[in-house]
Amino acid sequence: KAGVTQTPRYLIKTRGQQVTLSCSPISGHRSVSWYQQTPGQGLQFLFEYFSETQRNKGNFPGRFSGRQFSNSRSEMNVSTLELGDSALYLCASSDWTGGNYGYTFGSGTRLTVV
Amino acid sequence: SQQGEEDPQALSIQEGENATMNCSYKTSINNLQWYRQNSGRGLVHLILIRSNEREKHSGRLRVTLDTSKKSSSLLITASRAADTASYFCATGFNNAGNMLTFGGGTRLMVKP
């Protein structure tokens, strides 16, 4: 079966702009989680959606938001971009077991803010 | 914030040698997972060990978990050049949804 698909792979944006990233989970998976990876802070949890509801949220400012559609595809949005938002953004999907068998990650979207 | 730390931060070995990475965490967990990441790409799930398990094997991988010490170790036996990657431990506490807390990672280089 197809893996987790993240688009786009690379993105360059200017400070102050906003950006939307997309994640399509494995077919049948209803949970999608988002993570930010930077050299300084490592891998940090952003939020998780399950059946179109946000179940968990990490410690990020309100500029970071997300949503999930009825087909389980998820988007995350970052408004008023800052240089520090440059990072690799990863999404992960899991089935109804809630990650008891591990998560499947996408290849990520590398965002550069200039 | 990160759950804990991984040790060492970097490890360089020769092909055929064993590689051991350690992970410590801070809070109660349901499970602990290990992931591999090649050159800033996506994470690949390697193995999951539940809080009531002490040891688990998968191919050349062996994971141990000591909940009393809040620590885990990953052993890769007979390393290959293709094992060169960053390895991360992540703890899961799934009572309120899915969320992983990652360690800082160990960069492993296996020299041919």
Side-chain angles (χ1 to χ4, degrees):
Chain A
K1 54 186 175 182
V4 177
T5 302
Q6 289 189 247
T7 56
R9 287 295 312 279
Y10 302 93
L11 208 48
I12 300 176
K13 289 286 189 178
T14 304
R15 233 175 353 170
Q17 288 187 315
Q18 67 100 24
V19 67
T20 300
L21 313 181
S22 177
C23 173
S24 293
I26 288 175
S27 178
H29 283 192
R30 293 159 64 189
S31 169
V32 174
S33 306
W34 289 88
Y35 293 84
Q36 181 197 63
Q37 185 177 27
T38 60
Q41 298 298 316
L43 281 153
Q44 293 188 290
F45 173 78
L46 279 157
F47 28 65
E48 184 230 354
Y49 287 87
F50 184 85
S51 294
E52 301 179 65
T53 301
Q54 187 182 86
R55 288 202 299 191
N56 281 305
K57 190 177 192 303
N59 189 26
F60 278 82
R63 300 185 297 107
F64 291 81
S65 62
R67 59 178 175 168
Q68 186 179 35
F69 301 96
S70 57
N71 62 356
S72 293
R73 188 178 71 87
S74 177
E75 289 181 347
M76 66 163 283
N77 184 80
V78 188
S79 63
T80 319
L81 284 165
E82 300 177 359
L83 295 179
D85 298 332
S86 295
L88 180 66
Y89 290 89
L90 296 163
C91 80
S93 81
S94 80
D95 60 15
W96 66 272
T97 64
N100 286 331
Y101 297 96
Y103 297 81
T104 303
F105 281 80
S107 295
T109 294
R110 183 161 301 276
L111 171 66
T112 302
V113 183
V114 297
Chain B
S1 62
Q2 293 179 0
Q3 168 71 290
E5 296 181 1
E6 290 182 60
D7 168 51
Q9 290 187 330
L11 180 61
S12 180
I13 59 174
Q14 294 295 135
E15 216 167 22
E17 294 180 337
N18 295 341
T20 299
M21 291 160 258
N22 302 297
C23 166
S24 62
Y25 58 92
K26 299 174 182 174
T27 62
S28 298
I29 61 171
N30 284 0
N31 61 66
L32 187 142
Q33 306 175 32
W34 285 89
Y35 288 83
R36 183 185 75 224
Q37 185 178 40
N38 291 85
S39 300
R41 302 280 306 248
L43 297 164
V44 175
H45 179 257
L46 295 175
I47 195 166
L48 180 151
I49 186 166
R50 292 183 173 77
S51 59
N52 61 351
E53 298 175 310
R54 292 296 168 258
E55 187 172 312
K56 202 162 184 179
H57 297 253
S58 177
R60 294 184 295 113
L61 306 179
R62 172 177 170 257
V63 169
T64 61
L65 178 64
D66 187 336
T67 53
S68 67
K69 295 181 179 178
K70 291 186 167 60
S71 68
S72 173
S73 68
L74 171 68
L75 168 67
I76 303 174
T77 61
S79 297
R80 306 165 182 168
D83 294 329
T84 295
S86 291
Y87 291 81
F88 294 89
C89 70
T91 51
F93 188 68
N94 297 337
N95 284 10
N98 298 331
M99 172 181 165
L100 290 175
T101 306
F102 285 88
T106 293
R107 294 188 312 279
L108 173 66
M109 174 173 287
V110 182
K111 300 175 184 175

